[in-house]
Every structure is written in structure tokens, then in C-alpha cells.
Amino acid sequence: MPVTNPWLAGSSPTARLDRDRLEERILNLLSSQNMCVLATAGPDGPLATPVRYFHLDFTLMFTAVAISPKMRNIAADPRVSIGIFAPLVGQASSRGAQVFGRARVLHPGDSDFDHHWPAYRWQSDHVERCRPLDEPPIGPLIVVPAERIVYTEHWLRREGYAPRQFWRVAEAASEQAPETAPPLARTADER
């Protein structure tokens, strides 16, 4: 029987991409999608919410109504997980990322607001909802700087790389100043 993708058979390779190639692939995924699932936890338990996002490098951002369940959860516990995935046709096209970080709620006048706001494309929402383009929204901007990303792309197996790759923001800091960076604990999946 002919097999379309024989490189998917057997055990997965274990080779790791170098940091630059991994970051390029992650940024490609973040730039080519615009929907994610935001996972939060709060007093009523876990909540997974579909959200349209934008990104500035490895920081994801979105807006939300201040009294929404996800905002209440973020206020109770800012640790979040964000799932992003490309449309799946089959195993060979499986591509996605789990982004872990701490959500910060920014308002106009906050120190980082002016840095992130230009990357948030609110204009498309306004056009869709027949709102004037000279009146930007006034709600909070939620930013999630990635602390850790688990990137999955099964096509990497074709090139001899593990389909699951791991990125940590702390690695970038340790590459620049190894004498001051704390050691990183690795999870069982990263070993």
C-alpha cells in the first residue's frame, strides 16, 4: 500500500532546532493565525475562551470587557495558557503552540500601554461594527509576554527534528548574561 508520508511512521526524532529557527517558526505561526484559546483559572474553576489575538514578538494581546469571566479569573490568578493552532488537514499538517505566561491588564497611561497599543489592530473591529475610526476603544488591553512556549509541528519530523520543541524566554536572558541567570528546571516533556 502506498504511504503519503512515510516519515511519520515509527518513533519521533529527538533533535532540537536551534533557537533562531525555532523562533522563526513560532513567529510564523503567531503571524499566520488570529484566534487562540485562552485558558484561565479562577474561583469557579478553569475557563477556556476563544479570543482573537494580536502579537508583538512573543507577547500576545487582546481586549476584553472588564467584567467578563476571563477578566475576573485573570484578576484572581494572572497565570494563563494560550493555545494557538493552524487548520489541521492531517498529521503532517499538525502545527500549534501552547504559550504560558502571566497576563497583565494595561490601560491608557500605563507605562507599557503605548508600546503595545500600536500593534493591536482595533480598526478592523470598528469597520466590522460600523464604528468611527477616529474613536479607538477605551477598554483594557491584556498582554501576555510568553515565558515558555511548547511548539508542535509534525512536518519537522521530515527534516529529522522532534515534532515538539521548547522555547523559554529565560534562555534568551541566560545567553546574554549567563553569570546572573538562574538555572532552568526542565519538565518531563523537555527531557
Side-chain angles (χ1 to χ4, degrees), residues 36-39 53 60-62 80-84 97-101 144:
C36 67
V37 176
L38 170 71
Y53 74 89
L60 278 71
M61 57 193 126
F62 56 92
V80 299
S81 176
I82 300 172
I84 300 163
Q98 295 168 279
V99 178
F100 300 90
V144 180

Side-chain angles (χ1 to χ4, degrees), residues 12-172:
S12 294
T14 59
R16 298 283 169 218
L17 288 170
D18 67 60
R19 188 171 181 90
D20 288 342
R21 285 189 68 200
L22 176 57
E23 288 183 349
E24 183 69 22
R25 289 183 114 89
I26 293 169
L27 289 172
N28 177 279
L29 176 70
L30 297 180
S31 296
S32 63
Q33 305 304 311
N34 70 348
M35 290 296 297
C36 67
V37 176
L38 170 71
T40 61
D44 295 328
L47 177 71
T49 309
V51 174
R52 181 164 40 182
Y53 74 89
F54 295 91
H55 77 99
L56 182 59
D57 296 320
F58 296 97
T59 297
L60 278 71
M61 57 193 126
F62 56 92
T63 57
V65 176
I67 60 171
S68 68
K70 64 182 162 284
M71 292 296 284
R72 285 194 305 268
N73 282 0
I74 287 170
D77 185 347
R79 295 174 301 164
V80 299
S81 176
I82 300 172
I84 300 163
F85 58 93
L88 177 66
V89 177
Q91 186 78 8
S93 68
S94 178
R95 187 169 70 116
Q98 295 168 279
V99 178
F100 300 90
R102 295 178 187 276
R104 293 185 317 152
V105 180
L106 301 178
H107 298 275
D110 289 345
S111 61
D112 283 349
F113 185 88
D114 288 339
H115 174 72
H116 291 92
W117 184 249
Y120 186 80
R121 304 288 185 242
W122 56 269
Q123 295 88 344
S124 61
D125 281 345
H126 273 40
V127 168
E128 224 176 289
R129 300 167 84 185
C130 298
R131 291 185 175 171
L133 291 177
D134 59 351
E135 296 175 18
I138 56 173
L141 179 66
I142 298 82
V143 298
V144 180
E147 296 171 5
R148 182 170 62 97
I149 299 173
V150 178
Y151 177 76
T152 302
E153 180 185 336
H154 282 278
W155 195 262
L156 288 171
R157 291 174 62 153
R158 184 177 172 93
E159 299 176 39
Y161 292 101
R164 183 172 288 162
Q165 302 282 325
F166 304 93
W167 178 92
R168 286 183 181 269
V169 70
E171 289 177 359

